[in-house]
Amino acid sequence: MSNGPRLVLLGRQGSGKGTQASMLAEHFAINHLSTGKIFRDSADAGVSAGLEAKAFMDRGELVDDAIVIAVVEERFANPHEIERGFVLDGFPRTAHQATELERILEHAPIDLVIDLDVPEEKAVKRLLARGRDDDTEEAIRRRLELYEQETAPLIDFYRARGVLASADGVGDPDDIQKQLIELVEARVDRLRASV
Ligand code: AMP
């Protein structure tokens, strides 16, 4: 069986990237890897590293690079995780995480990074409506600020590597999903043609 696509979804919190990532994972039968979910699950299970991470998450701060990178590296230590294909949701979030991801995936680089674009006000509205534990107004504001500072520069980083595609994240989730699937398929076709 051929390998599935290796994808990254970028976008500010509230862009709908979690929903889109899980739909893409289902469509392409690949793994959905959300670092936020991994931390939430391990906090719920009472694991001390997860509880430590939760303190940062509740304030809207980023979890320490070293901790997040270790989680991702551990996951990808299993070659099947890479072979099956995956969509990363919420990782990388900093330049350091992005360069470490290149190291971790040295032999199986990312096929496509999709930037899911939603204006800030719209994202805030969606986050307030979502009402997750860590979605206080202050935490939301801090996360959006950190997104601009730390994560938005990754758009240029991936554009320079020739793997970036952008999609409008405003609209009907099913329509957006169709666009994302088309972007992935076009990319996969191009990569196959160039082998
Ligand atoms: P998310 O589920 O992607 O919205 O992530 C929820 C929270 O988990 C974030 O606000 C961060 O505190 C933390 N987190 C998730 N992924 C990362 C990451 N790649 N780097 C740093 N912190 C992260």
Side-chain angles (χ1 to χ4, degrees):
M1 203 187 82
S2 69
N3 295 352
R6 298 182 292 275
L7 312 171
V8 168
L9 264 195
L10 283 182
R12 49 170 60 92
Q13 289 88 346
S15 63
K17 75 182 145 46
T19 308
Q20 292 298 335
S22 86
M23 288 161 84
L24 282 175
E26 195 176 326
H27 180 87
F28 289 106
I30 56 179
N31 295 325
H32 177 192
L33 190 64
S34 155
T35 41
K37 181 167 190 310
I38 291 173
F39 292 135
R40 278 188 294 281
D41 288 349
S42 83
D44 288 348
V47 177
S48 68
L51 293 169
E52 241 172 77
K54 191 172 186 312
F56 285 87
M57 294 162 76
D58 286 345
R59 293 200 310 273
E61 297 295 333
L62 292 177
V63 176
D64 200 66
D65 271 351
I67 295 173
V68 193
I69 291 161
V71 164
V72 172
E73 187 153 25
E74 191 187 320
R75 187 61 74 98
F76 285 143
N78 177 354
H80 295 298
E81 288 282 332
I82 298 178
E83 278 158 24
R84 181 163 195 248
F86 54 82
V87 51
L88 282 169
D89 155 20
F91 183 92
R93 261 180 160 99
T94 66
H96 184 55
Q97 291 178 16
T99 51
E100 286 296 285
L101 182 64
E102 288 195 323
R103 176 183 61 76
I104 294 167
L105 297 177
E106 194 188 346
H107 302 294
I110 293 294
D111 296 317
L112 187 67
V113 176
I114 301 175
D115 172 37
L116 196 56
D117 189 35
V118 167
E120 187 163 324
E121 308 137 57
K122 192 123 201 159
V124 172
K125 264 196 204 141
R126 285 188 183 172
L127 286 169
L128 285 172
R130 176 171 83 169
R132 206 170 69 192
D133 249 22
D134 56 344
D135 285 339
T136 62
E137 199 162 340
E138 224 173 277
I140 289 171
R141 208 167 295 132
R142 179 65 182 146
R143 276 194 238 130
L144 290 170
E145 189 177 274
L146 282 171
Y147 178 81
E148 295 308 323
Q149 277 171 21
E150 303 285 347
T151 311
L154 300 185
I155 295 171
D156 284 339
F157 174 92
Y158 285 118
R159 186 180 291 121
R161 275 159 174 68
V163 292
L164 185 82
S166 296
D168 185 355
V170 180
D172 176 58
D174 289 331
D175 293 340
I176 296 167
Q177 177 66 191
K178 270 187 213 135
Q179 280 179 46
L180 301 193
I181 289 170
E182 277 167 22
L183 287 173
V184 174
E185 281 174 347
R187 175 71 183 167
V188 168
D189 286 349
R190 254 198 327 275
L191 286 172
R192 283 213 187 101
S194 69
V195 175

